[in-house]
Amino acid sequence: MLQRWKHGRRCHGLARRCSLPVLAEYLDACGSLKIDDIENTPLIAVDLELTGLDKEQDQIIAIGWTQIDDGRIRLGSNRYLVINADKSVGSSAAIHELMDHEVAQGEDLEVGLGELFEAARDRLWILHHAGLDIGFIKKACESWAGIIPGFIVLDTLRIEYRLRKRREIPVKQGDLQLGQIREVYGLPGYTAHNALTDALATAELMLAIASRLDSDSPLKLKPHLKFF
Amino acid sequence: MHDISLATEFLHSVPPFNTLEVDDLRKIARKLEAAYYPQGKKIFSSGQESGLAVIRKGAVRLVDDEHKFLDKRSEGELFGHKIWFHGEQRNYIAEAEEDCLVWHLPAADFSLLCERNPLLCEYFSSHLKTRLSAAAQVNRSVTLLRDLLKRKPVMIDRGASIREAARLMSREDVSSVLVMNELKLAGIATDKDLRHRVLAADLDPGEAIERVMTPNPKMLSADTGVDAALLMMMRQNYHHLPVVDERSYPLGLVTAGDILRSQSEHPLRLVRDIHKKSSVEELVQLSRRLPSLFERMVTLGRDVEHIGRMVTHITDAFTVRLIQLAEAKFGPPPIPYAWIVFGSQAREEQTAKTDQDNGMILKRKADPEEAEYFSRFSTFVCDGLDELGYVYCPGEIMALNVKWRVSLAKWKRHFDNWIDKPEPKAVMHSSIFFDMRCVHGQSELVDELLSYATTRAKENRIFRRFMATNVLGHRPPLGFFRRFVQEDDGTQSEGLNLKHRGIVPITDLVRMRALEGGIQEANTFSRIELVAANGTMNEGDANSLRDALILINRIRLAYQAEQVSNGQAPTNFVPPDDLSPLMRRNLKAAFMLVVEAQKALALRYQVH
């Protein structure tokens, strides 16, 4: 509760200092976000494609997201943006299948971030293994807006891990990969490593996890929030 | 990647959405809302607000308000709209039978979609007969020649001089010009005509272009499907054809190349390749491409009539090529002959699994030396076909068999025997010979034999009565469904032979009616059209039979394509568990139409 309050105060403070309207509005909304159960909280599931795992060296080359309202993913809100990076995608192309020339034709990172934060206004974030992607977004914001914004996140990996711990289910390496968990919940197999597909996959997984937590009352989100 | 392509790709496999253009699919996909329901969870009660739901993953059971089982739907199937259960439209509750991911199309968007698309509206209107007809129709959305036309045709009046025509062609940079008589197409003149008929013939370029054009060229309507157009062009060996509107006014020119380019990989490329090969081994190599080609045609949603014609056209090409190789190997034939095919190849209705049924008509009786030639000749061709995968006919109806390699006079006596002294077994065996087509050689021989046989059969009512009895011997398996629908969970494991229980009853019945009408065409769809046109069958019954044939065949083809893609040998046998409830409903309706047509036939011939 205290963490929530502190985080809100930080967001409002950042909003006042921020000169970019789209980010300021996001931060303002983030500071006073109403969080209820999954059916009554607007959400946005996000995934990034990266040239590598090191946020000091590597770059964002694609952003995908989709929004959830009233417990349903609105496919019309799907968005996929290729970002032009100045660095070669190198061997990471084997994972995300984006080639240098496609990346070169992409949007500027600033444009992508602008759209992302507009779409994320008034919404909780959903990410799978949030730490990595949030790290990259923070880094990008620093050079874009000169500030590091706050995020309130549902991390599907972390939630599933805690659920399994609580039920005393042993967790092995690889068990908590997005595709592996989805299989347990009977979700379709997707070709992984496209930012939009993974964002959708994460959104579906969040709905599946929420439906299982308690069949009578929908998932209370608060205990599962992570503040960045 | 497009923002919505993940959804459109899936929707594209879901009937009736598979009939829509990608742009329309995208519009629908953007309205979709994905929701997750764990096993046992209620999704909704059907009604005004339920909209339409697509099962993306998992299974849904539909139950009535007393929780009695009505139906089960699985991945790629729909619910939420009005559904008829056992002939009765009722409300239902949908609940997750397994964990499922469901895409909802909100009620408002669903009704808007129906308003804008009458074909979809009809599809969802639920009454079986309408649904059947809508289901038969929806897949017929094909690319038309109209869609391929790029530029307006270059036209010139027939009174213009050759010089003027040549200048016009240079200016427009075209190799052919359409010659017009007022608003009607009078002819076509090409570069080649200018070369051969003007320059080489020393003709005065001041003469009228009319003198050197090819008059009355073959034309195609702009509403011809590209598959049909290409098939026609390849058969007749035309390279480019004028495309005209309903008043025969030219809209443009289309070349076989334009059409081939419009389709990423076309079965008729295979036909072209077949003609280039000069050994059985090379042909065997080519024939390996057949299964995947067939699978592609089915998954691309080509309509069943065209798939039948394409597959047969390929078989014909292999046959003709083998015959040409035989002629090259054994020398020219001592007697004119016709190579004829029977059954599904004659009807142009072949699918993935097929054996060979063929014979030869010789212009006259062969002497022993000539007989030896045809023996070696036919053995080469039939063996070749077998190697290519068209296995030997189990009933030995093959040119290989000396009985089916005889003179025209002898063929007529075969038919006399069947028709004059009908006995059940002979009639049953003879019916395959009434589906006959020439693939190579002297087609006049075949025309004469066919006209002889159909006239004799038409005149002889006793023979036709025997045939009618034979037709009624293959009944559609409606009992199968009665058993099936009584099952609560559909776990019946008995199978269904779609060919013998579905296709054969229809082709038999239609052949029968075609004989009554004295029609010599072999293709079942053409026969249906012709018997309706000459009044032998009323139009409503004809349409019903056609729809039934399309539907049963579509299910059979889809199943065979799946077997092929799994690397299995295609069969005509479909396990009931693999039929979706929608397929089951459609099949049942199709079989009921066949039963009605059979009843009418039984009544007319007083047989049971």
Side-chain angles (χ1 to χ4, degrees):
Chain A
M1 204 56 207
L2 183 64
Q3 194 185 13
R4 172 81 216 278
W5 178 79
K6 275 173 149 176
H7 188 266
R9 217 173 58 148
R10 178 157 69 89
C11 285
H12 285 305
L14 285 167
R16 279 193 297 276
R17 277 172 36 214
C18 180
S19 56
L20 295 167
V22 62
L23 194 56
E25 280 168 29
Y26 160 81
L27 284 165
D28 231 1
C30 184
S32 33
L33 206 57
K34 285 197 179 60
I35 300 167
D36 195 346
D37 57 34
I38 191 137
E39 303 222 327
N40 295 299
T41 308
L43 306 154
I44 182 169
V46 179
D47 186 68
L48 305 179
E49 279 160 60
L50 306 165
T51 56
L53 299 179
D54 181 353
K55 71 171 190 281
E56 298 308 324
Q57 280 183 25
D58 292 308
Q59 291 180 330
I60 299 173
I61 50 171
I63 312 176
W65 68 80
T66 191
Q67 298 174 334
I68 301 178
D69 290 285
D70 309 320
R72 289 183 177 188
I73 304 163
R74 291 187 295 108
L75 299 189
S77 70
N78 290 0
R79 192 78 176 107
Y80 180 67
L81 285 170
V82 176
I83 302 299
N84 73 48
D86 46 33
K87 186 168 173 289
S88 169
V89 296
S91 59
S92 68
I95 298 176
H96 47 63
E97 293 180 342
L98 276 175
M99 298 300 157
D100 282 345
H101 70 274
E102 292 173 87
V103 171
Q105 284 162 15
E107 294 285 351
D108 289 340
L109 181 57
E110 294 75 38
V111 177
L113 289 173
E115 265 203 55
L116 174 64
F117 279 99
E118 192 179 338
R121 188 166 64 218
D122 288 315
R123 289 174 188 276
L124 268 185
W125 298 65
I126 307 171
L127 292 116
H128 192 75
H129 190 18
L132 177 69
D133 286 3
I134 291 290
F136 271 88
I137 298 175
K138 278 182 170 176
K139 180 95 194 336
C141 287
E142 209 176 348
S143 46
W144 171 47
I147 54 167
I148 299 171
F151 303 81
I152 311 176
V153 175
L154 290 164
D155 183 344
T156 41
L157 186 145
R158 186 164 158 267
I159 298 172
E160 180 66 18
Y161 177 75
R162 286 165 60 169
L163 289 176
R164 290 192 189 188
K165 271 283 177 91
R166 195 186 300 165
R167 291 176 200 148
E168 293 177 351
I169 301 169
V171 179
K172 289 196 304 292
Q173 177 113 40
D175 279 0
L176 294 178
Q177 281 174 9
L178 186 55
Q180 300 297 317
I181 307 179
R182 284 171 58 84
E183 217 176 298
V184 174
Y185 286 93
L187 289 164
Y190 291 148
T191 330
H193 302 303
N194 165 286
L196 175 58
T197 312
D198 281 356
L200 263 173
T202 308
E204 289 169 359
L205 178 59
M206 188 64 232
L207 295 185
I209 293 176
S211 77
R212 289 294 178 78
L213 281 175
D214 191 334
S215 51
D216 295 324
S217 73
L219 166 67
K220 291 283 180 230
L221 298 177
K222 282 178 190 155
H224 299 283
L225 297 176
K226 174 120 173 92
F227 296 90
F228 286 92
Chain B
M1 193 187 100
H2 205 276
D3 296 342
I4 204 75
S5 62
L6 199 72
T8 46
E9 267 166 37
F10 184 76
L11 268 194
H12 193 61
S13 69
V14 175
F17 296 114
N18 54 349
T19 63
L20 298 181
E21 298 294 329
V22 178
D23 279 351
D24 292 327
L25 280 180
R26 285 201 188 118
K27 279 182 204 143
I28 296 168
R30 285 185 204 291
K31 302 292 181 199
L32 292 176
E33 299 174 356
Y36 180 91
Y37 302 94
Q39 185 180 11
K41 174 137 177 151
K42 177 179 161 182
I43 300 172
F44 55 54
S45 302
S46 71
Q48 293 288 320
E49 293 307 310
S50 50
L52 186 69
V54 184
I55 303 174
R56 175 61 188 84
K57 185 82 199 292
V60 170
R61 72 181 14 245
L62 309 179
V63 297
D64 67 12
D65 40 18
E66 283 156 9
H67 218 261
K68 196 170 163 307
F69 178 87
L70 292 170
D71 206 349
K72 178 182 160 175
R73 308 258 151 148
S74 49
E75 188 171 317
E77 294 189 316
L78 306 171
F79 61 98
H81 55 302
K82 290 175 190 155
I83 298 179
W84 294 60
F85 301 96
H86 314 314
E88 189 190 347
Q89 190 202 311
R90 39 200 302 194
N91 291 326
Y92 55 90
I93 297 163
E95 58 183 36
E97 175 157 306
E98 302 164 6
D99 296 337
C100 47
L101 187 63
V102 172
W103 288 350
H104 294 275
L105 183 64
D109 296 308
F110 180 42
S111 44
L112 206 63
L113 175 70
C114 287
E115 258 170 52
R116 288 193 186 149
N117 192 325
L119 222 51
L120 287 194
C121 181
E122 200 179 340
Y123 188 90
F124 292 116
S125 72
S126 299
H127 191 276
L128 271 184
K129 206 158 175 173
T130 0
R131 180 201 292 272
L132 192 60
S133 144
Q137 261 171 29
V138 281
N139 255 24
R140 235 177 287 150
S141 68
V142 292
T143 314
L144 304 177
L145 287 184
R146 189 183 291 289
D147 308 324
L148 295 186
L149 296 177
K150 278 184 270 251
R151 58 175 292 175
K152 286 204 181 335
V154 178
M155 298 187 276
I156 195 162
D157 187 74
R158 65 178 172 151
S161 69
I162 295 170
R163 186 180 296 114
E164 285 172 309
R167 285 187 181 149
L168 177 66
M169 287 163 73
S170 304
R171 199 163 59 236
E172 298 283 343
D173 195 24
V174 291
S175 60
S176 58
V177 64
L178 300 181
V179 184
M180 302 296 291
N181 175 9
E182 313 241 304
L183 285 177
K184 285 186 71 180
L185 181 64
I188 182 167
T190 63
D191 275 351
K192 208 168 150 191
D193 295 330
L194 297 181
R195 213 157 59 230
H196 289 301
R197 296 179 189 166
V198 183
L199 288 175
D202 243 345
L203 191 74
D204 176 8
E207 292 278 346
I209 184 72
E210 196 176 14
R211 275 196 61 182
V212 296
M213 71 183 187
T214 303
N216 306 318
K218 178 87 191 154
M219 301 177 275
L220 283 170
S221 153
D223 294 318
T224 313
V226 291
D227 283 353
L230 189 55
L231 197 57
M232 201 279 262
M233 292 174 86
M234 304 278 273
R235 271 189 192 154
Q236 314 276 341
N237 208 18
Y238 290 129
H239 295 291
H240 45 265
L241 282 182
V243 176
V244 296
D245 67 9
E246 59 277 9
R247 291 186 306 269
S248 297
Y249 185 77
L251 298 174
L253 270 177
V254 70
T255 68
D258 289 340
I259 302 181
L260 281 178
R261 271 191 298 280
S262 77
Q263 328 238 294
S264 52
E265 190 201 353
H266 200 280
L268 291 180
R269 274 172 200 253
L270 179 60
V271 171
R272 236 174 20 181
D273 294 346
I274 289 170
H275 287 302
K276 290 183 197 144
K277 300 298 176 202
S278 52
S279 72
V280 176
E281 294 70 42
E282 285 176 295
L283 290 174
V284 169
Q285 282 278 333
L286 273 188
S287 73
R288 301 219 173 93
R289 276 158 59 184
L290 266 176
S292 65
L293 200 64
F294 169 77
E295 186 203 336
R296 250 181 67 86
M297 282 193 270
V298 176
T299 46
L300 279 179
R302 296 263 178 269
D303 75 60
V304 294
E305 184 179 346
H306 265 109
I307 292 173
R309 288 197 198 265
M310 289 286 178
V311 173
T312 308
H313 190 52
I314 292 168
T315 312
D316 285 1
F318 276 125
T319 312
V320 169
R321 195 67 197 135
L322 283 169
I323 292 171
Q324 288 165 342
L325 294 180
E327 285 187 356
K329 189 177 163 90
F330 303 113
I335 311 174
Y337 71 92
W339 185 277
I340 46 177
V341 295
F342 306 109
S344 64
Q345 190 181 356
R347 293 195 309 270
E348 299 176 77
E349 288 161 16
Q350 290 189 311
T351 63
K353 182 186 162 53
T354 187
D355 48 15
Q356 50 172 307
D357 300 301
N358 48 45
M360 286 176 99
I361 308 176
L362 309 183
K363 191 157 186 183
R364 60 169 170 77
K365 191 172 177 345
D367 67 30
E369 198 181 319
E370 290 162 347
E372 178 57 25
Y373 171 93
F374 285 114
S375 165
R376 279 187 286 149
F377 182 98
S378 57
T379 307
F380 177 87
V381 178
C382 293
D383 286 354
L385 285 170
D386 185 66
E387 277 188 61
L388 294 176
Y390 305 100
V391 296
Y392 298 120
C393 165
E396 296 201 348
I397 299 172
M398 289 181 288
L400 187 62
N401 182 344
V402 68
K403 196 177 172 191
W404 310 121
R405 193 176 72 225
V406 293
S407 67
L408 178 61
K410 179 86 191 207
W411 270 109
K412 287 184 181 171
R413 254 170 292 139
H414 278 317
F415 276 94
D416 287 341
N417 275 331
W418 296 321
I419 293 169
D420 294 338
K421 291 174 234 139
E423 44 167 312
K425 214 173 157 193
V427 169
M428 191 173 88
H429 289 306
S430 74
S431 65
I432 183 178
F433 294 102
F434 282 93
D435 300 342
M436 180 199 300
R437 190 166 57 83
C438 177
V439 295
H440 190 76
Q442 310 273 311
S443 55
E444 312 86 73
L445 296 172
V446 187
D447 294 340
E448 189 180 333
L449 181 58
L450 258 179
S451 127
Y452 180 81
T454 36
T455 315
R456 298 247 29 223
K458 188 176 181 205
E459 287 163 359
N460 194 321
R461 193 175 155 85
I462 298 170
F463 171 72
R464 281 193 286 123
R465 185 151 185 254
F466 269 95
M467 270 202 119
T469 315
N470 184 40
V471 169
L472 299 177
H474 297 278
R475 308 261 182 174
L478 273 177
F480 175 90
F481 286 98
R482 278 194 208 104
R483 269 208 317 283
F484 205 96
V485 293
Q486 280 163 8
E487 298 280 335
D488 254 15
D489 285 308
T491 46
Q492 185 81 19
S493 65
E494 203 179 303
L496 179 57
N497 187 327
L498 285 182
K499 183 178 173 194
H500 285 125
R501 307 277 256 161
I503 312 289
V504 169
I506 298 176
T507 46
D508 278 358
L509 197 95
V510 172
R511 179 190 308 111
M512 181 75 218
R513 306 304 302 268
L515 283 178
E516 280 175 30
I519 284 158
Q520 292 178 26
E521 171 65 46
N523 179 263
T524 304
F525 290 105
S526 306
R527 279 173 169 172
I528 291 174
E529 211 169 284
L530 291 167
V531 291
N534 79 4
T536 309
M537 190 186 282
N538 80 49
E539 205 161 312
D541 291 351
N543 286 340
S544 296
L545 274 181
R546 193 202 60 217
D547 291 346
L549 183 60
I550 290 175
L551 269 158
I552 298 170
N553 248 324
R554 188 174 301 150
I555 291 169
R556 177 167 77 129
L557 292 181
Y559 196 73
Q560 288 185 338
E562 198 183 311
Q563 288 176 318
V564 169
S565 81
N566 293 338
Q568 298 165 305
T571 63
N572 289 306
F573 186 86
V574 179
D577 285 351
D578 290 4
L579 289 173
S580 70
L582 179 72
M583 283 172 169
R584 256 184 275 149
R585 266 194 311 281
N586 284 343
L587 259 187
K588 190 177 173 191
F591 287 151
M592 277 157 84
L593 293 174
V594 179
V595 167
E596 276 172 38
Q598 287 191 333
K599 276 187 193 149
L601 187 77
L603 204 66
R604 209 175 35 250
Y605 284 94
Q606 297 294 305
V607 291
H608 305 287

